[in-house]
Amino acid sequence: MAKQVSDIVVERLIEWGVDTIFGLPGDGVDGFFESLRTHQDKLKFIQVRHEEAAAFAAVGYAKFTGKLGVCVATSGPGGIHLLNGLYDAKCDQQPVLAITGHTFHDLIGMDYQQDVDLDKLYMDVSEFNQRIMGPAHAVNVVDMAIRTAYGRRGVAHICIPKDIQEFAASDSNRSKANVAQHSADLRAPLNLKPAALVLQQAADVINAGKKVTIFVGRGALGARSEVEQLAETVGGPVVKALLGKGVLPDHSQYTTGGLGLLGTAPSVDAMEECDTLIMIGTSFPYMEFLPKPGRAKCVQIEIDPTRIGLRYPTDVALVGDTKVILEALLPLLEKKGGRFLKKAQERMKDWNELMAERGQRQDLPMKPQVVTYTLNKLLNDDAIVASDSGTIATWTARYVEMRGDMQFSLSGSLATMANGLPYCIGASIAYPGRQVVCIVGDGGLSMLMAELATLVKYQLNVCVIVIKNNVLGQIKWEQMVLDGNPEFGVELWPIDFAKVAEACGARGFTLERQEDAERVLRDALAHPGPKVVQAVVDPNEPPMPGKVNTDQAIHFAKALLRGQKDAAKIVQTVVEDKVREVI
């Protein structure tokens, strides 16, 4: 059979090193899927049950490998379904390529079936967005799409009309300006280093500081040793944004853990008390947790110049690769005493003791933190952990401790539900020999629950831990604590997730008591292939912030007074958690 446009596209993907593509077939991409079939020895297609999951899986693949994530969907509704996952890639700056179909090229705009102008629909989400017009156009578009996804760390979109997918490659009407083989399938890494003068200016600011706090995000994941050297040199604690959880082990002597509503009290203290802030690879959005403007001098290290000064007034900006910049900056820094760091370490000792106490509570219904506290002890040192959005992000952030070569991620800036399970599909496909664990809520899992069948189809060794409280927990507490309103519209009809898992062909477990937690979780992790543990927990356990402010306390009290369901039980729980100031 003669080579077609789809063959050109698929072969160029292979030349760029793409080996996996997630998606769902449809008549709008039939030509492309025929090419996937004939090239399946070099490019693996992973079929999901919903296109949204394909996009999320591509994001997870990109996050855990650093490589391009690729997803495919048919024209019209298929392409529409990709969007939530693609916005996740955009918000967390991940290189993802989306390939979609379109109707016949000469019926576009004629109200034909599934005639959705995906080029226009994708204008906001994508850094590159182009329709392939014929054989001579195909290689150029693929090259530019991949180059842009990597270079701008975002979404690239290629749309191919249904009939053009099957155009013969020999039918090319190449323009004279379009010189054959003029572009390269080469990714150029960005290793920029600021000028010596700017590096010295940054060093001067840091050297003048007496209480230095380091704040790291995802952009520092590849610079663990340099961040440790920085903390040791400046004698200051390292606070971690959630996407930067893996920068340092959670029991490192240098870190106070996370920041924000799901962070630690020592991290809040480190931000409030510092006179110098070093921000590295983070655009953490919650500015209220950073020092008040003018309270601290700031040196920001960031690969994206548009994010300099976005969250905090920056005194010196160092734009480029984190590792390269720190290697150049460290020799310019003066060694400080470690009093500020030592104070943070003492606070962390108390915080960790409190977390351990809460993680071993024997109450009934079982407390949600018991699950993640116990799970943490059983994880391998190279485990990959993905969390969904909601209260489970808090329990995961506080109790799952990074160590060794562990990796962790979740939907950071978009904070969407339903990402956790597809992330783990992407991770398990990329690393079939590693332990992959998905921690989700019952609300998030039920959105894309059919992907349990995807785990079974490919026999992926993924352990899904679903924290089941029959409520949209994060929204419930936001209604109460942020708005001062009783909960409304958040109750969920119960689902037996263990039975759903068994119906899909996976192994199902149920956990209801603290004394059974270690046995059940150990058995689940040891079971080969896909498995689901439904952990039935107390819906009235609040994911309280490390420090409760006055507004939160007032709103919480108002919600209780205005008729919050189970108010007495909630009050009892809060008192037992020693957060008396909210009552």
Side-chain angles (χ1 to χ4, degrees), residues 13-299:
L13 291 174
I14 293 169
E15 288 166 358
W16 270 95
V18 174
D19 57 16
T20 304
I21 184 168
F22 305 91
L24 199 65
D27 71 324
V29 283
D30 278 348
F32 186 78
F33 267 75
E34 172 58 15
S35 186
L36 288 178
R37 184 188 70 82
T38 58
H39 292 81
Q40 60 185 304
D41 58 326
K42 296 180 180 178
L43 181 54
K44 178 166 50 181
F45 170 67
I46 303 298
Q47 178 211 68
V48 296
R49 293 301 184 99
H50 194 290
E51 290 93 348
E52 183 177 358
F56 279 137
V59 177
Y61 184 92
K63 283 187 170 185
F64 293 121
T65 66
K67 295 165 60 177
L68 182 75
V70 185
C71 54
V72 59
T74 190
S75 53
I80 294 169
H81 283 160
L82 288 177
L83 278 174
N84 194 42
L86 296 181
Y87 269 101
D88 187 41
K90 172 181 175 158
C91 291
D92 283 355
Q93 295 187 292
Q94 295 303 308
V96 170
L97 172 63
I99 300 171
T100 65
H102 206 328
T103 191
F104 299 92
H105 85 282
D106 53 358
L107 290 175
I108 293 174
M110 299 294 109
D111 290 332
Y112 195 74
Q113 186 183 36
Q114 296 190 340
D115 185 8
V116 176
D117 197 340
L118 296 176
D119 305 42
K120 292 179 181 177
L121 187 66
Y122 279 46
M123 285 175 65
D124 180 62
V125 77
S126 58
E127 298 289 340
F128 178 88
N129 182 25
Q130 194 59 251
R131 184 185 302 171
I132 289 181
M133 305 300 291
H137 198 209
V139 169
N140 296 351
V141 170
V142 172
D143 284 354
M144 195 62 186
I146 296 177
R147 194 173 289 117
T148 304
Y150 275 130
R152 296 182 183 170
R153 299 173 310 284
V155 175
H157 171 231
I158 296 174
C159 185
I160 320 176
K162 176 179 174 64
D163 52 339
I164 290 180
Q165 294 170 34
E166 300 178 358
F167 279 11
S170 58
D171 290 342
S172 175
N173 293 316
R174 183 180 296 274
S175 64
K176 291 182 180 179
N178 185 14
V179 178
Q181 300 179 344
H182 68 87
S183 59
D185 54 333
L186 176 66
R187 175 189 179 188
L190 183 64
N191 292 317
L192 296 178
K193 183 173 74 172
L197 176 62
V198 182
L199 284 165
Q200 187 60 57
Q201 290 172 343
D204 291 343
V205 170
I206 297 169
N207 290 334
K210 292 183 171 55
K211 296 180 179 180
V212 182
T213 292
I214 303 161
F215 188 30
V216 297
R218 181 174 174 80
L221 284 175
R224 175 178 291 183
S225 62
E226 289 77 16
V227 171
E228 289 176 335
Q229 291 175 51
L230 179 62
E232 176 67 26
T233 301
V234 303
V238 178
V239 177
K240 300 188 291 184
L242 194 48
L243 287 177
K245 184 173 173 62
V247 174
L248 294 182
D250 279 300
H251 271 288
S252 165
Q253 62 179 322
Y254 300 113
T255 188
T256 54
L259 185 67
L261 292 174
L262 41 65
T264 72
S267 287
V268 175
D269 293 334
M271 285 293 179
E272 290 178 347
E273 297 172 6
C274 71
D275 60 23
T276 306
L277 177 63
I278 306 174
M279 297 181 67
I280 306 176
T282 179
S283 57
F284 179 79
Y286 306 109
M287 293 170 277
E288 63 269 29
F289 290 98
L290 300 178
K292 286 183 171 33
R295 173 70 178 78
K297 293 287 188 179
C298 179
V299 172

Side-chain angles (χ1 to χ4, degrees), residues 385-389 392-393 396 408-411 419-420 423 437 439-440:
V385 179
S387 170
D388 221 297
S389 297
I392 36 85
T396 305
F408 167 80
S409 197
L410 80 174
S411 176
N419 68 287
Y423 268 27
V437 177
I439 306 174
V440 296

Side-chain angles (χ1 to χ4, degrees), residues 504-525:
C504 290
R507 178 72 187 277
F509 297 83
T510 297
L511 170 60
E512 297 180 301
R513 304 176 68 88
Q514 183 267 347
E515 58 264 35
D516 299 328
E518 185 165 344
R519 174 184 58 79
V520 172
L521 291 171
R522 190 183 297 278
D523 288 349
L525 290 169

